[in-house]
Amino acid sequence: MDFNSRIYVAGHRGLVGSAILRKLKREGYTNLVYKTSKELDLTDRDAVKDFFENENIDYVFLAAAKVGGIVANNEFPADFIRDNILIQTNVIDASYRNNVKKLLFLGSTCIYPKHAPQPMKEEHLLTGELEPTNEPYAIAKIAGIKMCQSYNRQYGTDYISAMPTNLYGENDNFDLKTSHVLPALIRKFHEAKSENKPSVEIWGTGTPKREFLYSDDLADATIFLMQNYSGNEIVNIGVGHDISIRDLAATIKDIVGFDGQITFNTLKPDGTPRKLVDVTKLNDLGWEAQTTLEDGIKEAYKWYLNNIETKIESK
Ligand SMILES: NC(=O)c1ccc[n+]([C@@H]2O[C@H](COP(=O)([O-])OP(=O)(O)OC[C@H]3O[C@@H](n4cnc5c(N)ncnc54)[C@H](OP(=O)(O)O)[C@@H]3O)[C@@H](O)[C@H]2O)c1
């Protein structure tokens, strides 16, 4: 990938895609292509075909997907499996038919088996039952990984798949109905502070541990992989250490400046006790995350404050 390669970032307004686009621009890549879902609906096969036939794309970062938390996955399973299968099938196949040099597909660590050993290694994929609440999404994503591997085997393409851990950062989804835990906590603490509430309730005991990667670090890792890795094996992207939800909540409370209490509703389920990825493979390739959780949350909160009215409700 050189500075005037034609690079398509699919999903450039999302958490991941926007971070990749910012990073590519910052690093001096100038020949970038990106379209909103309104301009190019990636579930529309003909539209995707026309786009690739006309754009002479060399490299694809496939960060467009239908993404959401547990509630959204539970309520809209059909949308999650259909849209993701359509988006990735259309983009991967059109890339092949139009001689794209390399494509990076984004899987997710939430598609590892529900009871995968911790920390999760790449070889744990497809070794056990999936988490039932996001099974349709996971099946779609696994199909995307298998599609990349199969195209590589049959057609000799160079399509790689990365498995990021939980992400957070600019352009995150702060809608409490569909968001992940970290942006949801930022919003809850911010609203509690603005409304002078005495406390913020957290679901569960606060003891489960999770890993969080800042989206700019993820972007850096995807560009690193595009430049330094080719192969059929998936690659985990994470920080390699985790934090309890209790400590995460306390960190966000301090950064937001909320003075009240944190309460734990232990009648609500905790979910998996621990979720952490093994990042040995990525570290051995020569990449490590650089942003501390505190610094990343400060940046994410800054973005939230600057975009609270314009973007949050429309996402
Ligand atoms: N967020 C995480 O914690 C996380 C963790 C691991 C892996 N990942 C993976 O990273 C990828 C991106 O996730 P994200 O968090 O960045 O999601 P996101 O913030 O919801 O962004 C998704 C993007 O996909 C685009 N998109 C959705 N449907 C589309 C369609 N039909 N046609 C064209 N574009 C469409 C949207 O474009 P518009 O804005 O133009 O509508 C949006 O910008 C996903 O594959 C996800 O599995 C995410």
Side-chain angles (χ1 to χ4, degrees), residues 91-119:
V91 173
I92 292 169
D93 192 61
S95 296
Y96 159 62
R97 289 178 197 284
N98 293 281
N99 305 312
V100 162
K101 293 186 180 129
K102 192 163 183 174
L103 174 145
L104 181 136
F105 176 71
L106 282 152
S108 168
T109 52
C110 69
I111 69 174
Y112 278 114
K114 185 178 163 82
H115 301 295
Q118 301 294 322

Side-chain angles (χ1 to χ4, degrees), residues 125 144-154 159 161 232-234:
L125 189 69
I145 292 168
K146 288 291 155 195
M147 208 168 156
C148 290
Q149 294 170 340
S150 303
Y151 273 59
N152 290 346
R153 268 180 51 210
Q154 187 175 339
Y159 299 164
S161 299
N232 258 350
E233 287 175 31
I234 56 176

Side-chain angles (χ1 to χ4, degrees), residues 36-285:
T36 65
S37 57
K38 279 219 177 81
E39 292 162 342
L40 174 62
D41 179 358
L42 295 173
T43 65
D44 178 342
R45 184 168 182 264
D46 291 337
V48 177
K49 183 172 167 276
D50 286 351
F51 171 73
F52 273 86
E53 281 173 2
N54 290 318
E55 290 289 349
N56 288 319
I57 290 159
D58 296 315
Y59 294 87
V60 175
F61 288 86
L62 181 38
K66 184 159 184 65
V67 179
I70 190 165
V71 178
N73 269 278
N74 241 338
E75 275 182 33
F76 310 109
D79 296 358
F80 275 86
I81 192 161
R82 181 198 55 229
D83 286 4
N84 284 310
I85 284 185
L86 285 171
I87 290 170
Q88 67 208 28
T89 302
N90 291 340
V91 173
I92 292 169
D93 192 61
S95 296
Y96 159 62
R97 289 178 197 284
N98 293 281
N99 305 312
V100 162
K101 293 186 180 129
K102 192 163 183 174
L103 174 145
L104 181 136
F105 176 71
L106 282 152
S108 168
T109 52
C110 69
I111 69 174
Y112 278 114
K114 185 178 163 82
H115 301 295
Q118 301 294 322
M120 297 178 285
K121 293 183 195 296
E122 286 84 353
E123 59 261 34
H124 292 140
L125 189 69
L126 283 173
T127 55
E129 271 179 40
L130 298 167
E131 162 61 45
T133 49
N134 74 351
E135 194 184 61
Y137 172 82
I139 295 278
K141 284 277 163 196
I142 292 168
I145 292 168
K146 288 291 155 195
M147 208 168 156
C148 290
Q149 294 170 340
S150 303
Y151 273 59
N152 290 346
R153 268 180 51 210
Q154 187 175 339
Y155 300 130
T157 50
D158 188 1
Y159 299 164
I160 58 175
S161 299
M163 302 284 274
T165 189
N166 299 309
L167 305 170
Y168 69 98
E170 289 182 34
N171 288 300
D172 209 341
N173 176 7
F174 288 88
D175 178 338
L176 292 178
K177 273 198 233 107
T178 52
S179 58
H180 292 118
V181 57
L182 194 152
L185 287 178
I186 291 181
R187 182 170 181 166
K188 279 189 180 178
F189 280 113
H190 175 78
E191 288 181 351
K193 178 179 134 182
S194 312
E195 295 160 19
N196 285 318
K197 287 193 175 157
S199 62
V200 165
E201 183 187 277
I202 313 282
W203 278 23
T205 60
T207 53
K209 295 182 91 180
R210 295 290 183 271
E211 178 185 17
F212 298 96
L213 176 69
Y214 186 49
S215 60
D216 284 16
D217 282 356
L218 182 262
D220 192 53
T222 60
I223 295 166
F224 174 85
L225 287 173
M226 210 47 144
Q227 287 162 333
N228 297 288
Y229 176 73
S230 287
N232 258 350
E233 287 175 31
I234 56 176
V235 183
N236 287 339
I237 307 180
V239 291
H241 50 86
D242 51 9
I243 179 173
S244 71
I245 297 299
R246 180 182 293 268
D247 290 346
L248 175 71
T251 306
I252 295 177
K253 175 182 180 279
D254 285 350
I255 289 170
V256 169
F258 172 64
D259 291 332
Q261 302 294 311
I262 301 174
T263 61
F264 293 90
N265 183 346
T266 53
L267 297 172
K268 299 286 184 188
D270 260 347
T272 315
R274 194 169 187 214
K275 266 190 78 183
L276 177 65
V277 290
D278 185 315
V279 286
T280 308
K281 188 167 172 177
L282 185 58
N283 290 166
D284 288 351
L285 285 166

